[in-house]
Amino acid sequence: MALFGNIAILGDPFDVGALIMGGVMCVLIGYAHIVVNRFFSHGDKFIVSIASILPVIGIAVIYRLDPATAIKQVLWFIIGISAYMALVIILPDLKRFASLKYVYLVLTLVFMGMATFIGKEIYGAKNWVDLGFVSFQPSEFGKIFFVFYLASSLKNYTDLKSLVEPGAVVVISLGFMIFQKDLGSAMIFSFISISMLYVATSRLKYLLGALGAGALGAVASWAIFSHIQKRVMIWRDPWPYASNESYQIVQGLYAISSGGLFGSGLYQGFPGYIPVNKSDYIFAVIVEELGVVFALGIMVLYFILFFRSIRAALSATSPFTTLLAVGFSVMIAMQVIVIIGGVYNMIPLTGITLPLVSYGGTSMLTVFFCLGIVQKISEEV
């Protein structure tokens, strides 16, 4: 309410719509807390809290940029948190779903490969599918089925031979991401696979081998694809290309530096100079207007969310649910690392969303679905 109250006061004239939006979100968040904390008291209490705070920050900043887009994001938030609660209330014991390995396999390959054949290119990546009545990123749904497949496949690990099939699925999935020029998703899928492999096998040699194979794949992709070479080029030295290829990176860095520790204040920055400022680069807007300290607070929230999710994985009662919790935890954490690292130019920039904060209905739904599964796993006793 403090965020939306500030937006209302700074509006000219006074923006009543901002207060209404803040009130609606308070009611939804309060209801979600009552459902989870009162009726499912064995589960983790922190996950639902952080899953409520982050969208509030994102929607407030999006409202400052474009009220019409913020209204759409609120609708996605309503659907997402409703799905979260529905999973907690309706889902039976998750161990029942461990035997559906080949269903997950088919759905993974369908959603991972869909954009390769019928996708359209946006901002350099061919990772969107437009069906006329709806536009979405199929790889966002593919991540969910990918984690479910690996969990159901790796839970019965016995020897190296049992890793052949999941290894082939991982390679095919990464191949689709590379051909779609979706480098951020390829990196996230790689770390999900490596993390789940290590948890399932506890073999250091497999971990080192997977990391080595990933490094070789990254070098090979750089050697083959010109768009990857360009991303690396502007990452290493963005300033010579500030008016062309690295314009987004440079404008983001200017915004971050101008914000300082405590920010310029809402409506006092210049986010209009930052391309794709409501989705990929919303973190730069947050740092500019709310400050580095506020941004560090957001990163701390993500760390706590990751910590509590891994804690749920450690307390799970079956290998399948342990692997599910690890996969979804790493997925969200790596998405945060990849986009924030790209905004700060610590790693090559890739176009993905900041979970629960950036504008994007597909991303909002998938993250809430993943957190709903982790919340359900945290109730296992």
Side-chain angles (χ1 to χ4, degrees), residues 292-312:
V292 170
V293 173
F294 193 96
L296 284 173
I298 292 175
M299 287 189 273
V300 169
L301 288 176
Y302 280 121
F303 175 79
I304 296 171
L305 183 62
F306 176 73
F307 170 76
R308 302 301 296 193
S309 299
I310 291 296
R311 187 173 180 269

Side-chain angles (χ1 to χ4, degrees), residues 240-252:
Y241 316 100
S243 59
N244 295 299
E245 290 94 341
S246 62
Y247 179 79
Q248 185 181 33
I249 295 173
V250 170
Q251 290 302 318

